[in-house]
């Protein structure tokens, strides 16, 4: 019961009611107990001002033209909405070529003055670093390089491409298709269900639509699409392997 009070308190505070108090009332009758949780929310905190601190100029330009933000002045200081905005930005950027961008690059700071129930909120987008301590750079935009199909992938075997057994291959409209004994799907079926192609910006939605298309094919038990990074001069490419 004490832990439930703590969890409810945390949930209500995350909704902006920072001074919320939760108490439990217990009524015993024989071997049963009736529990009532009394929630006193208090006055909620609201966002007074909203600023953005984005060190990557290209991402800053994208977000300046983005009109779908979940954040606005005078909104409740709701942690759930702040986290949803982080995920929304990640989705937006991963539809525009930012293959390696994730929520860890987005953070917030909130300045509050005691007794005012308002917070000055700043959203931060950090530059890219491969690991802690590395120098910071702008986030890379990736385009699709080659797209390859491997139609006899065994999920129980090693995931290394070098360990996948193939005996033959064909090229169909520029797409290499590798198989072990017999190609059990027409090449046109493979390419028609693909939702990205060479030269496209990496797009998370196109990837998910491709997964959905292949998952609907009754001849397939499993689909895995893997990307391998290739650096060509100043451009970053992703060679795709569709493992079926």
């Amino acid at each position: 019961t004490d832990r439930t009070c703590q969890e409810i308190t945390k949930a209500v505070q995350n909704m902006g009611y920072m001074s919320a108090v939760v108490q439990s009332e217990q009524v015993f009758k024989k071997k049963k107990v009736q529990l009532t949780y009394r929630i006193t929310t208090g006055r909620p905190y609201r966002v007074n001002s909203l600023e953005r601190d984005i060190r990557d100029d290209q991402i800053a330009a994208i977000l300046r033209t983005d009109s779908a933000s979940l954040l606005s002045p005078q909104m409740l200081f709701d942690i759930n909405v702040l986290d949803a905005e982080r995920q929304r930005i990640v989705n937006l950027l991963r539809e525009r070529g930012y293959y390696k961008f994730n929520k860890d690059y987005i953070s917030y700071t909130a300045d509050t003055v005691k007794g005012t129930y308002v917070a000055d909120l700043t959203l931060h987008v950090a530059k890219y670093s491969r690991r802690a301590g590395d120098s910071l750079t702008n986030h890379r935009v990736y385009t699709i390089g080659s797209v390859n199909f491997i139609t006899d992938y065994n999920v129980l075997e090693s995931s290394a491409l070098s360990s996948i057994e193939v005996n033959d291959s064909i090229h169909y409209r520029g797409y290499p298709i590798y198989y072990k004994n017999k190609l059990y799907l027409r090449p046109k079926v493979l390419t028609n269900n693909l939702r990205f192609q060479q030269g496209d910006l990496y797009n998370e939605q196109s990837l998910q639509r491709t997964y959905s298309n292949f998952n609907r094919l009754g001849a397939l038990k499993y689909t895995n699409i893997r990307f391998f990074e290739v650096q060509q001069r100043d451009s970053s490419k992703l060679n795709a392997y569709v493992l079926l």
Side-chain angles (χ1 to χ4, degrees):
T1 302
D2 289 342
R3 286 184 61 191
T4 300
C5 283
Q6 293 170 10
E7 291 301 317
I8 295 175
T9 301
K10 188 190 304 181
V12 177
Q13 288 176 344
N14 283 349
M15 294 165 63
Y17 298 89
M18 302 300 184
S19 56
V21 176
V22 179
Q23 297 172 312
S24 66
E25 297 176 2
Q26 306 170 7
V27 177
F28 292 91
K29 188 175 182 181
K30 295 183 179 179
K31 292 186 177 182
K32 293 185 177 181
V33 59
Q34 177 180 310
L35 284 173
T36 302
Y37 292 96
R38 303 282 180 195
I39 304 171
T40 306
T41 61
R43 185 176 170 182
Y45 276 73
R46 293 187 177 274
V47 173
N48 180 51
S49 65
L50 180 60
E51 301 290 338
R52 284 175 170 169
D53 171 31
I54 304 173
R55 304 301 174 91
D56 186 310
D57 292 340
Q58 196 166 350
I59 290 179
I62 292 173
L63 296 184
R64 269 197 303 271
T65 61
D66 172 34
S67 60
S69 176
L70 304 177
L71 308 181
S72 62
Q74 303 309 311
M75 64 173 278
L76 285 176
F77 189 76
D78 189 329
I79 302 300
N80 303 300
V81 176
L82 300 189
D83 194 53
E85 175 68 359
R86 290 172 71 210
Q87 187 60 56
R88 191 194 67 82
I89 292 173
V90 170
N91 295 343
L92 175 68
L93 295 178
R94 285 176 69 89
E95 291 170 9
R96 301 195 180 196
Y98 289 91
Y99 170 67
K100 290 188 174 181
F101 194 87
N102 60 63
K103 286 169 65 174
D104 292 340
Y105 290 107
I106 304 175
S107 61
Y108 296 97
T109 55
D111 292 329
T112 60
V113 177
K114 188 175 181 180
T116 63
Y117 295 96
V118 295
D120 293 323
L121 184 67
T122 303
L123 182 149
H124 305 273
V125 178
K127 283 193 168 186
Y128 173 77
S129 63
R130 188 172 182 180
R131 60 178 67 88
D134 284 1
S135 58
L136 301 178
T137 63
N138 285 343
H139 293 267
R140 289 179 180 174
V141 175
Y142 288 83
T143 57
I144 302 298
S146 64
V147 181
N148 310 267
F149 292 93
I150 298 177
T151 64
D152 291 282
Y153 175 64
N154 187 343
V155 67
L156 299 178
E157 295 177 353
S158 170
S159 61
L161 291 179
S162 59
S163 69
I164 300 173
E165 186 178 349
V166 295
N167 295 332
D168 211 344
S169 67
I170 64 171
H171 279 70
Y172 178 76
R173 293 184 176 178
Y175 293 95
I177 303 172
Y178 302 94
Y179 57 95
K180 185 175 180 181
N181 296 314
K182 182 181 179 181
L183 186 58
Y184 53 85
L185 284 171
R186 284 176 294 133
K188 185 177 180 181
V189 173
L190 297 177
T191 58
N192 281 358
N193 283 286
L194 197 65
R195 288 297 174 266
F196 56 85
Q197 61 185 351
Q198 187 172 5
D200 287 353
L201 278 178
Y202 172 82
N203 187 317
E204 187 81 18
Q205 278 197 358
S206 299
L207 174 63
Q208 294 307 320
R209 284 197 292 267
T210 300
Y211 270 119
S212 296
N213 288 350
F214 280 107
N215 288 339
R216 285 196 293 265
L217 297 178
L220 298 175
K221 290 183 179 179
Y222 179 83
T223 304
N224 184 19
I225 301 172
R226 296 179 61 191
F227 293 99
F228 292 86
E229 182 178 351
V230 179
Q231 193 68 25
Q232 294 181 352
R233 297 192 181 125
D234 294 332
S235 63
S236 299
K237 295 186 179 297
L238 296 169
N239 289 341
Y241 288 83
V242 183
L243 308 175
L244 307 169

